[in-house]
Amino acid sequence: MRILFASFFLLALTACGPRVSPEQKAKAVEAFATVEKVFQHPRCSNCHIPGDQPLQFDAQTPHQMGVVRGPEGKGAPGLPCATCHAEANPPASYGPHAPPGAPHWSLPPPDHKMAWIGLPSAQLCAMIKDKKSNGDRDFAALLKHVSEDKLVLWGWNPGNGRLPVPVPHDQFVAAFKLWADAGGPCPE
């Protein structure tokens, strides 16, 4: 009986997540401020929208030509994102407003839009780690997504005439990892 109780107690403690000190939590919340800065930048937030029409440019104007999310996040039937957005940015000779490109150019699908434009920090934090809204990703999958996904990486190489995300990618990933390793504490 004692072994059974000890096993149950150990299992319950493990399920509670990482044990973090108040100092670690404070550093993780501070790191989340860097994560938030990246997510709120137009390179990210133009496609992480509450509605169904993506935004474009730093001014975040509605996408021209009536472009919409579509049933899978890849554009409307008959006008998929890939109609204009190639697998890579076009050469600079195409001009400053040529459609940018990256592999699997799309918006998040309608069932988990991950719309964070203007969200308060605590709400953005909660949304990112909520598996119901983030595509069923745990912290390891989220870290892999922000570290390796070529569409995410495009934000740091957005092509001619576009400003990249202002935080260097390696610093962003380090901040994301610090936040995730502490269990993803949210700002108060």
Side-chain angles (χ1 to χ4, degrees), residues 18-181:
R19 293 298 228 193
V20 296
S21 68
E23 294 81 21
Q24 288 171 306
K25 180 180 178 184
K27 286 182 181 181
V29 169
E30 185 178 320
F32 184 76
T34 299
V35 172
E36 178 181 23
K37 183 176 182 178
V38 170
F39 282 20
Q40 294 288 4
H41 189 272
R43 294 298 78 76
C44 299
S45 63
N46 277 353
C47 292
H48 286 272
I49 52 170
D52 286 317
Q53 185 176 22
L55 305 175
Q56 60 186 84
F57 309 120
D58 288 338
Q60 299 193 294
T61 58
H63 199 297
Q64 296 172 353
M65 300 173 13
V67 170
V68 295
R69 182 185 309 274
E72 296 176 2
K74 297 176 183 175
L79 187 58
C81 302
T83 300
C84 298
H85 295 280
E87 291 285 309
N89 287 326
S93 63
Y94 281 43
H97 298 296
H104 68 88
W105 194 274
S106 63
L107 280 72
D111 57 338
H112 57 271
K113 292 180 179 181
M114 292 296 290
W116 48 60
I117 294 175
L119 288 182
S121 297
Q123 196 174 347
L124 173 64
C125 177
M127 177 187 284
I128 292 168
K129 60 187 190 173
D130 177 13
K131 289 175 130 187
K132 288 182 215 156
S133 64
N134 76 12
D136 199 33
R137 291 181 171 117
D138 61 11
F139 282 123
L142 288 168
L143 183 60
K144 181 176 173 72
H145 178 65
V146 302
S147 299
E148 301 174 16
D149 186 290
K150 291 185 175 166
L151 183 54
V152 172
L153 292 172
W154 169 86
W156 284 268
N157 183 26
N160 188 28
R162 291 174 190 84
L163 295 174
V165 173
V167 177
H169 185 254
D170 60 338
Q171 289 178 21
F172 164 64
V173 171
F176 195 98
K177 183 171 181 354
L178 195 153
W179 171 72
D181 286 350

